[in-house]
Amino acid sequence: MALNKKHFEILKELKKEDDLKRIASIFNQTERSIRYKIGELNENLGEEKIFIKKRKIFCLLDEKDISSLIKGINEYNYVYEQKERIDLLILESILQKDEFQIEELADILQISKSTLRADIKILNPKLSKMGIHLEQYNNKRCHLSYKNSDLIYYLSIFLYEYVIFDEGDSRVSFKNTSYFEKRVSEKLTKQYLEVLQDSYQKIKNIDLPYTDETLNLLILLISVLKLRSLSTEDLDVLNRKVLRETREFKVLQKTFIEFSETQLYFLTDYLLRISCDEKEIFSKHRNWLEIELGVYRLIKEFEHLKNVQLVKNKRLMDDILYYIKPLIYRSSKKIELKNSILKEVKLVYEDTFYYLKKCFLRSENQCDTVSFPAPF
């Protein structure tokens, strides 16, 4: 019986939830459908390790069982979802090189050329949003064109989805709790693990006052810079003189002696732009005044909706500015926080969240000079 991503998602949920109705609700499926999927899991396990009594699910699986289940799956009894196929496409092509042959890649992915072309068609607009263009020649060959900084960010964020930074054991690993993740893990282990581990140790051994998530993405940027051949050595970085005098630049320069000055400017620029610190404001955003004006309009809109007076509160204005800068930068680079507190904020500040979201949406429609990305 063929399995797919949904089977493994249900397995993960069974570690936290044992009510059939609740599981069905989480996956927006009928209870009957969940029963079928559990039956298919048991069939692949070779025995009944998951059973249901009066709509309560009893899961007797341990890590060894799950590992055995994953090991027993191959290309012929697993059905890839579209996103999984596209991630494999990225993994086997643009993560490594600027050009690939459609027939050769279809053989590697074990899919038809027509399916691969359809997946490329879906991937193309997503790449374009990041400033990366995938061009097809004679329906046989694909070639990337890009700005180096755009490609480095895109590939780093792609890796971010699969890399695990283990603070306790001070090591790097890859997700490995499903058949698809196992396949990705095997590929990334060969390509990236050694460099990731080395970069991780170096970053953790130096004093950089940033959150773990900020430093983890820095490690990925460093690793992509080391391993991915780029079309040129050019990296678009502004205010290099300012960046050169920062403590971050000097620390990175001492730690990564193999990097050029341009590469170090690029990494320093990332750290400063993602920070909420107020230092070096103008090295972070050329359109600082427009951002300030946008925040002012945002507060005024909130005042109007909530019938309160806030705009004269300078501390509030400053705090919003310092948090809005990294928010804009993360949004422009499509960086999603792994440890987001969005659910907690919506639960505790539901009323304020609703009005603030409304303000952002109105600001996006009304403001021509700076467009706030809605962070919700």
Side-chain angles (χ1 to χ4, degrees):
M1 178 63 66
L3 300 182
N4 58 32
K5 181 181 179 182
K6 192 66 69 183
H7 290 91
F8 288 98
E9 288 177 343
I10 290 171
L11 270 183
K12 289 179 185 178
E13 200 60 40
L14 289 178
K15 292 180 180 179
K16 303 175 285 184
E17 185 65 60
D18 63 359
D19 182 74
L20 177 62
K21 185 178 180 181
R22 173 68 181 151
I23 292 286
S25 174
I26 289 170
F27 293 102
N28 196 26
Q29 295 193 356
T30 64
E31 292 180 24
R32 188 177 185 182
S33 176
I34 298 297
R35 287 178 184 271
Y36 276 134
K37 284 186 166 49
I38 288 175
E40 289 163 354
L41 282 165
N42 282 326
E43 188 174 331
N44 277 268
L45 285 163
E47 58 182 310
E48 190 176 21
K49 288 271 188 172
I50 312 166
F51 57 94
I52 304 168
K53 285 188 176 180
K54 295 183 178 179
R55 300 172 88 183
K56 184 174 181 178
I57 304 172
F58 297 86
C59 182
L60 306 180
L61 288 176
D62 56 25
E63 293 301 320
K64 187 177 178 181
D65 292 319
I66 295 173
S67 179
S68 177
L69 175 66
I70 293 170
K71 192 174 180 180
I73 298 173
N74 56 46
E75 293 295 316
Y76 304 102
N77 58 1
Y78 186 84
V79 181
Y80 290 101
E81 292 192 352
Q82 188 179 76
K83 182 188 181 303
E84 292 176 324
R85 290 202 315 270
I86 290 174
D87 278 7
L88 286 177
L89 189 167
I90 295 167
L91 189 72
E92 296 285 357
S93 58
I94 66 177
L95 186 64
Q96 305 173 52
K97 52 194 175 183
D98 290 343
E99 189 172 290
F100 60 89
Q101 302 288 338
I102 287 180
E103 185 172 357
E104 180 183 337
L105 185 59
D107 287 342
I108 292 170
L109 298 177
Q110 296 185 321
I111 59 175
S112 68
K113 288 181 282 187
S114 59
T115 299
L116 177 56
R117 290 191 182 100
D119 289 341
I120 290 171
K121 192 172 181 180
I122 292 167
L123 176 61
N124 244 325
K126 297 178 181 179
L127 291 175
S128 294
K129 286 181 180 178
M130 292 296 291
I132 303 165
H133 305 286
L134 186 58
E135 300 163 358
Q136 291 191 50
Y137 296 95
N138 302 325
N139 228 14
K140 294 181 179 180
R141 180 170 59 92
C142 290
H143 182 80
L144 284 180
S145 59
Y146 52 83
K147 284 185 178 180
N148 286 342
S149 56
D150 291 335
L151 183 67
I152 292 165
Y153 269 101
Y154 180 79
L155 296 180
S156 299
I157 293 162
F158 172 79
L159 291 171
Y160 195 50
E161 185 176 346
Y162 294 103
V163 177
I164 298 172
F165 296 93
D166 190 335
E167 298 292 330
D169 293 334
S170 296
R171 68 186 185 92
V172 177
S173 60
F174 301 102
K175 290 182 179 178
N176 204 2
T177 58
S178 71
Y179 171 72
F180 176 73
E181 288 176 356
K182 175 176 173 285
R183 181 169 177 183
V184 173
S185 172
E186 288 172 349
K187 185 74 176 180
L188 292 179
T189 297
K190 293 176 184 176
Q191 289 182 298
Y192 271 84
L193 184 59
E194 187 177 337
V195 171
L196 276 169
Q197 190 66 53
D198 178 67
S199 302
Y200 179 80
Q201 294 298 336
K202 286 179 177 177
I203 289 297
K204 295 302 178 181
N205 288 334
I206 59 180
D207 180 24
L208 286 173
Y210 295 91
T211 66
D212 286 337
E213 282 199 306
T214 297
L215 294 179
N216 289 345
L217 187 52
L218 174 67
I219 292 162
L220 292 170
L221 292 169
I222 289 168
S223 301
V224 172
L225 269 174
K226 285 185 175 183
L227 292 174
R228 180 57 160 86
S229 297
L230 301 170
S231 55
T232 68
E233 293 184 5
D234 182 53
L235 283 165
D236 296 327
V237 185
L238 300 171
N239 305 297
R240 297 189 180 205
K241 288 183 179 179
V242 175
L243 294 172
R244 187 174 182 79
E245 297 306 314
T246 63
R247 178 178 173 275
E248 286 84 349
F249 178 86
K250 293 170 184 175
V251 169
L252 290 172
Q253 186 179 43
K254 189 181 294 185
T255 308
F256 296 95
I257 57 175
E258 67 272 33
F259 279 162
S260 68
E261 283 198 353
T262 298
Q263 290 171 323
L264 292 168
Y265 289 138
F266 171 77
L267 297 172
T268 306
D269 184 62
Y270 157 74
L271 283 176
L272 291 178
R273 287 175 181 267
I274 211 74
S275 168
C276 294
D277 197 341
E278 62 182 299
K279 64 184 177 180
E280 307 298 354
I281 285 172
F282 289 98
S283 73
K284 298 178 184 183
H285 292 284
R286 285 183 299 175
N287 60 340
W288 174 251
L289 294 177
E290 286 88 348
I291 292 173
E292 191 169 355
L293 179 60
V295 170
Y296 177 83
R297 288 174 174 169
L298 184 69
I299 294 174
K300 290 297 290 181
E301 184 68 30
F302 189 84
E303 284 184 337
H304 172 71
L305 290 173
K306 286 283 288 179
N307 193 27
V308 293
Q309 189 173 32
L310 297 172
V311 81
K312 292 181 180 179
N313 186 331
K314 189 174 186 309
R315 173 68 184 275
L316 174 66
M317 182 81 168
D318 288 344
D319 284 350
I320 292 176
L321 282 172
Y322 298 149
Y323 281 97
I324 210 88
K325 290 179 295 176
L327 181 149
I328 292 171
Y329 192 67
R330 283 197 306 269
S331 297
S332 69
K333 300 297 183 183
K334 304 294 186 292
I335 301 170
E336 294 184 12
L337 294 177
K338 283 188 177 179
N339 298 320
S340 171
I341 59 169
L342 177 59
K343 288 182 181 177
E344 290 83 355
V345 169
K346 289 172 76 172
L347 182 65
V348 178
Y349 305 104
E350 183 179 2
D351 184 58
T352 301
F353 178 89
Y354 167 77
Y355 283 108
L356 189 56
K357 181 177 180 179
K358 203 169 182 179
C359 293
F360 266 95
L361 293 173
R362 288 194 181 188
S363 296
E364 277 192 315
N365 294 330
Q366 295 172 5
C367 187
D368 295 325
T369 54
V370 58
S371 179
F372 283 108
F376 308 107

